[in-house]
Amino acid sequence: MNYIQQAYKGLNDWWRYLITIIIVFIGWQILGAIPLIVVAITHSKDMNAFMRAGEDNFMSLGIDSNLFLFLMLFMFIVGLVFLFIGVKSIHKRSITTLITSRKKMDWKRVFFAFFLWFFVGITMLVIGYFSGGSETMTFNFKPMPFLLLVVVSFLFMPLQTSFEELLFRGYFMQGLGISTINKKFPFIFVYSMISIFGLIYFYQSLSGLIITGILILLITFLSLLLNSQLVNNLIKSKLYLKLHSLLNSFIVPLLLTSVAFGLLHGMNPEVEKLGYIVMVFYIGT
């Protein structure tokens, strides 16, 4: 079995994906955020100051940088734990199937990739320094904060990146991969994307709820027509057969999850500080 087919080793009813996504969201955005909220409250003068600070993720409250980094990473760690719970308990398959198609982890590849990117990062830093960066860089070595940063980065940063990759390039990609063999996939996919991005949009405006509701009702109506003669004729058409053949391509799940991954990163205002070209390179690789 290839990596995407690992999903067949478990149960793949649609409601299992729905429940898993819900509990991952609760763990990631609600339970995981509790420590950050508690610390933010203790650093706020009053509730108004707390609410204002929330607009920039509490970065303006003067929380210790290492503590703030840990609290932000903690949200993703909780999300990762709930993702593992969903795969293990709801889908009834091993966590290894979410990570690799091999029988066990290939740690040699993991460490090879780590040291390769470590070398690339150091090389780019040195090149940047000697190509004019020395004028903008300041040597500010403080042993204790530095050691704390190293511990947080090496122990917890990989868990944060693992959560993002395993959720999008693992769980979602495997789910989309095995769904593309279903004739209902175009409707299911559009329905899901409208629901997910509609909820994100609703978080920012009330009109999003109305628009999302109308679109979901429309897609639901189209889904109910799947057994009608009209859709049966459509399924037999050459256009649909070509579309279905394309959706069966192994590259489609990767492209879909990459686009979703990129759009979610694009919503992050911090991306502007890195530059969108950097993010395109990151998502592409």
Side-chain angles (χ1 to χ4, degrees):
M1 282 187 169
N2 62 33
Y3 176 70
I4 290 180
Q5 292 172 332
Q6 295 299 305
Y8 286 123
K9 293 182 178 180
L11 303 175
N12 295 292
D13 306 278
W14 67 268
W15 58 267
R16 297 180 190 274
Y17 283 92
L18 178 62
I19 294 176
T20 300
I21 292 172
I22 290 175
I23 66 171
V24 168
F25 181 83
I26 292 174
W28 172 27
Q29 290 292 320
I30 299 178
L31 298 180
I34 292 177
L36 175 60
I37 293 174
V38 171
V39 172
I41 291 175
T42 60
H43 283 71
S44 302
K45 296 180 180 179
D46 50 41
M47 188 54 63
N48 290 330
F50 172 80
M51 296 299 292
R52 288 194 300 270
E55 296 178 359
D56 64 350
N57 295 320
F58 308 113
M59 296 181 64
S60 60
L61 291 177
I63 302 173
D64 178 77
S65 57
N66 286 331
L67 175 60
F68 182 78
L69 175 61
F70 169 75
L71 294 173
M72 292 296 292
L73 294 177
F74 182 77
M75 297 172 58
F76 294 92
I77 295 172
V78 175
L80 180 63
V81 171
F82 276 73
L83 176 60
F84 285 164
I85 291 174
V87 171
K88 185 72 175 178
S89 302
I90 299 176
H91 289 276
K92 305 296 182 181
R93 61 186 174 102
S94 69
I95 295 173
T96 304
T97 61
L98 187 67
I99 301 172
T100 178
S101 59
R102 300 165 183 259
K103 293 182 179 180
K104 59 181 181 179
M105 284 283 293
D106 188 347
W107 290 105
K108 290 182 179 180
R109 286 192 172 195
V110 174
F111 289 115
F112 171 78
F114 171 81
F115 286 110
L116 173 63
W117 281 106
F118 181 81
F119 174 76
V120 171
I122 293 296
T123 302
M124 293 178 66
L125 180 63
V126 172
I127 293 175
Y129 179 82
F130 287 104
S131 62
S134 58
E135 300 177 358
T136 58
M137 295 182 181
T138 302
F139 185 78
N140 187 29
F141 179 73
K142 297 179 181 179
M144 285 307 298
F146 175 76
L147 290 176
L148 287 174
L149 179 61
V150 170
V151 171
V152 171
S153 299
F154 278 77
L155 291 183
F156 301 110
M157 190 73 77
L159 296 178
Q160 180 260 327
T161 54
S162 295
F163 169 68
E164 293 185 353
E165 295 296 336
L166 290 178
L167 179 63
F168 284 91
R169 306 294 175 81
Y171 184 72
F172 285 163
M173 189 166 74
Q174 287 178 337
L176 286 170
I178 64 174
S179 295
T180 54
I181 65 172
N182 191 322
K183 291 181 179 180
K184 297 181 181 180
F185 171 73
F187 293 98
I188 295 172
F189 174 71
V190 174
Y191 187 95
S192 301
M193 289 299 99
I194 289 176
S195 300
I196 293 172
F197 290 103
L199 288 174
I200 295 174
Y201 183 69
F202 168 64
Y203 185 76
Q204 299 177 343
S205 79
L206 181 59
S207 61
L209 177 62
I210 300 174
I211 297 173
T212 303
I214 293 173
L215 291 175
I216 288 178
L217 287 174
L218 177 60
I219 298 300
T220 302
F221 175 72
L222 292 175
S223 299
L224 292 175
L225 292 176
L226 280 172
N227 293 323
S228 68
Q229 187 63 38
L230 175 64
V231 175
N232 287 333
N233 293 335
L234 174 63
I235 290 175
K236 296 177 182 178
S237 67
K238 293 183 179 180
L239 177 62
Y240 185 89
L241 291 175
K242 290 182 179 180
L243 175 62
H244 194 255
S245 176
L246 173 63
L247 291 175
N248 273 324
S249 171
F250 70 92
I251 199 66
V252 170
L254 177 61
L255 292 176
L256 293 177
T257 50
S258 296
V259 170
F261 201 22
L263 289 175
L264 289 174
H265 275 79
M267 294 178 183
N268 187 351
E270 296 296 316
V271 171
E272 294 183 6
K273 298 179 181 179
L274 296 174
Y276 285 96
I277 293 180
V278 175
M279 290 306 301
V280 169
F281 172 77
Y282 168 69
I283 298 299
T285 54

